[in-house]
């Protein structure tokens, strides 16, 4: 039986975050350049978006480019930026028709002009769609996210708009790039590594984590369903005890 047929559709995670790892190794295994792996990774993005719509998942956040990825060779960075432009140009109308709302998490102003313009257009065109929230983390780092939130909060305190004693979880949530989006319930990392890699450090605090050796270009609805099935059979306690203990 397929995992997608074994899921409890009344207990789906509301928000899934994904570290899409393994594009380079997928390509190397086939004697192809790394960028070919990233291109196939873009197909993985198409597949997970459709899978989330089909499985009735409300939000998905994909780690496409980290603040650390600028350290990669220039041609790989340039290739990834071009792929993102291609993705938005090709997919945006279809995403819009499906009811997908695109948001970018990260420092959009720090992107080159081309990707920035496409990202802004995608956000504007799909704003208000409610079937699936597709959050793409670009030029994103979990620490940078927390720092920019703290800076905004400090400015409000300095201007007398916020009292120090009123700073709580909700205030932090409201100032992060993900403001208004519920925290991920499940974080998936493909490609066999078992690290957080500076991804949604605040937001992933209580996420169940699922690792797989599958390389990102091979990701599909069955792999996603396996992760969700595993999630549905876990006991989430948020630091408390199970009710029968
Ligand atoms: C990690 O694999 C992947 C990335 C750094 C980029 C992810 C980008 C995509 C999936 C394609 C474009 C995205 C969008 C939103 C259109 P890696 O290169 O670190 O793989 P490796 O660990 O095998 O070297």
């Amino acid at each position: 039986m397929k995992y997608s047929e074994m899921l409890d559709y009344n207990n789906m995670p509301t928000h899934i975050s994904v570290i899409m790892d393994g594009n380079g190794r997928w390509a190397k295994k086939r004697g192809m350049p790394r960028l070919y792996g990233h291109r196939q990774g873009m197909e993985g993005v198409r597949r997970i978006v459709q899978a989330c719509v089909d499985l009735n998942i409300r939000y998905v956040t994909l780690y496409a480019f980290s603040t650390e990825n600028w350290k990669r060779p220039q041609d790989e960075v340039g290739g990834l930026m071009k792929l993102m432009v291609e993705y938005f140009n090709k997919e945006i109308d279809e995403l819009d028709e499906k009811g997908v709302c695109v948001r970018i998490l990260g420092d959009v102003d720090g992107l080159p002009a081309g990707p920035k313009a496409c990202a802004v257009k995608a956000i504007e065109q799909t704003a208000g769609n409610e079937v699936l929230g597709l959050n793409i983390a670009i030029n994103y780092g979990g620490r940078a996210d927390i720092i920019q939130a703290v800076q905004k909060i400090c400015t409000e305190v300095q201007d007398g708009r916020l009292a120090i004693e009123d700073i709580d979880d909700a205030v932090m949530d409201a100032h992060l790039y993900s403001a208004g989006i519920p925290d991920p319930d499940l974080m998936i990392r493909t490609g066999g590594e078992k690290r957080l890699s500076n991804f949604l450090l605040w937001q992933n605090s209580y996420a169940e984590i699922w690792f797989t050796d599958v390389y990102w270009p091979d990701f599909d609805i069955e792999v996603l369903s396996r992760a969700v099935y595993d999630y549905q059979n876990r006991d989430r306690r948020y630091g408390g005890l199970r009710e029968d203990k």
Side-chain angles (χ1 to χ4, degrees):
M1 199 165 165
K2 285 178 162 178
Y3 279 95
S4 50
E5 290 162 7
M6 285 155 58
L7 298 178
D8 173 359
Y9 282 83
N10 294 315
N11 180 28
M12 299 304 278
T14 302
H15 183 177
I16 298 179
S17 58
V18 189
I19 300 180
M20 310 182 286
D21 198 12
N23 294 347
R25 281 165 289 159
W26 184 93
K28 194 173 173 203
K29 224 172 79 179
R30 288 161 177 79
M32 298 297 278
R34 293 178 58 79
L35 266 173
Y36 180 71
H38 292 314
R39 176 163 287 283
Q40 293 308 309
M42 189 166 81
E43 294 303 316
V45 171
R46 281 174 55 88
R47 281 195 297 274
I48 196 171
V49 167
Q50 188 56 49
C52 287
V53 170
D54 292 345
L55 297 183
N56 221 356
I57 287 160
R58 184 63 185 80
Y59 299 95
V60 64
T61 300
L62 306 177
Y63 205 4
F65 194 89
S66 76
T67 45
E68 288 71 38
N69 285 151
W70 298 108
K71 290 186 245 169
R72 292 193 178 198
Q74 227 181 347
D75 62 335
E76 184 170 347
V77 171
L80 275 167
M81 291 294 150
K82 269 198 195 143
L83 264 187
M84 280 181 252
V85 170
E86 185 179 325
Y87 176 76
F88 286 126
N89 285 341
K90 267 202 204 154
E91 301 288 320
I92 196 61
D93 289 340
E94 205 179 314
L95 289 171
D96 195 15
E97 278 158 29
K98 284 194 211 314
V100 176
C101 172
V102 175
R103 264 178 70 171
I104 306 294
L105 309 189
D107 178 14
V108 179
D109 289 331
L111 290 175
K116 182 180 166 182
C118 289
V120 170
K121 181 173 176 284
I123 296 165
E124 284 171 359
Q125 185 174 334
T126 63
N129 287 344
E130 285 182 352
V131 174
L132 172 70
L134 168 61
N135 311 306
I136 307 184
I138 307 177
N139 199 13
Y140 179 86
R143 288 184 174 186
D145 193 359
I146 292 169
I147 290 169
Q148 65 81 35
V150 169
Q151 286 171 337
K152 285 192 274 186
I153 290 169
C154 287
T155 306
E156 288 179 27
V157 169
Q158 212 170 27
D159 295 350
R161 285 179 284 142
L162 180 67
I164 289 180
E165 53 277 18
D166 289 339
I167 299 172
D168 58 8
D169 281 25
V171 170
M172 272 301 286
D173 283 340
H175 290 82
L176 291 164
Y177 289 127
S178 53
I181 301 168
D183 286 343
D185 305 290
L186 169 64
M187 187 196 98
I188 296 173
R189 181 171 188 142
T190 62
E193 311 282 357
K194 295 186 173 66
R195 285 191 289 271
L196 205 46
S197 296
N198 201 17
F199 186 44
L200 301 174
L201 295 180
W202 172 277
Q203 299 90 331
N204 269 328
S205 290
Y206 285 101
E208 295 292 327
I209 305 183
W210 191 79
F211 298 105
T212 176
D213 289 337
V214 169
Y215 291 145
W216 177 253
D218 290 328
F219 194 89
D220 62 11
I221 190 167
E222 259 312 281
V223 184
L224 178 64
S225 300
R226 215 181 331 141
V228 173
Y229 182 79
D230 193 67
Y231 163 87
Q232 290 182 335
N233 288 287
R234 292 192 193 181
D235 167 29
R236 298 186 82 192
R237 292 194 297 275
Y238 302 94
L241 289 178
R242 259 172 45 186
E243 273 165 22
D244 58 350
K245 291 269 163 173

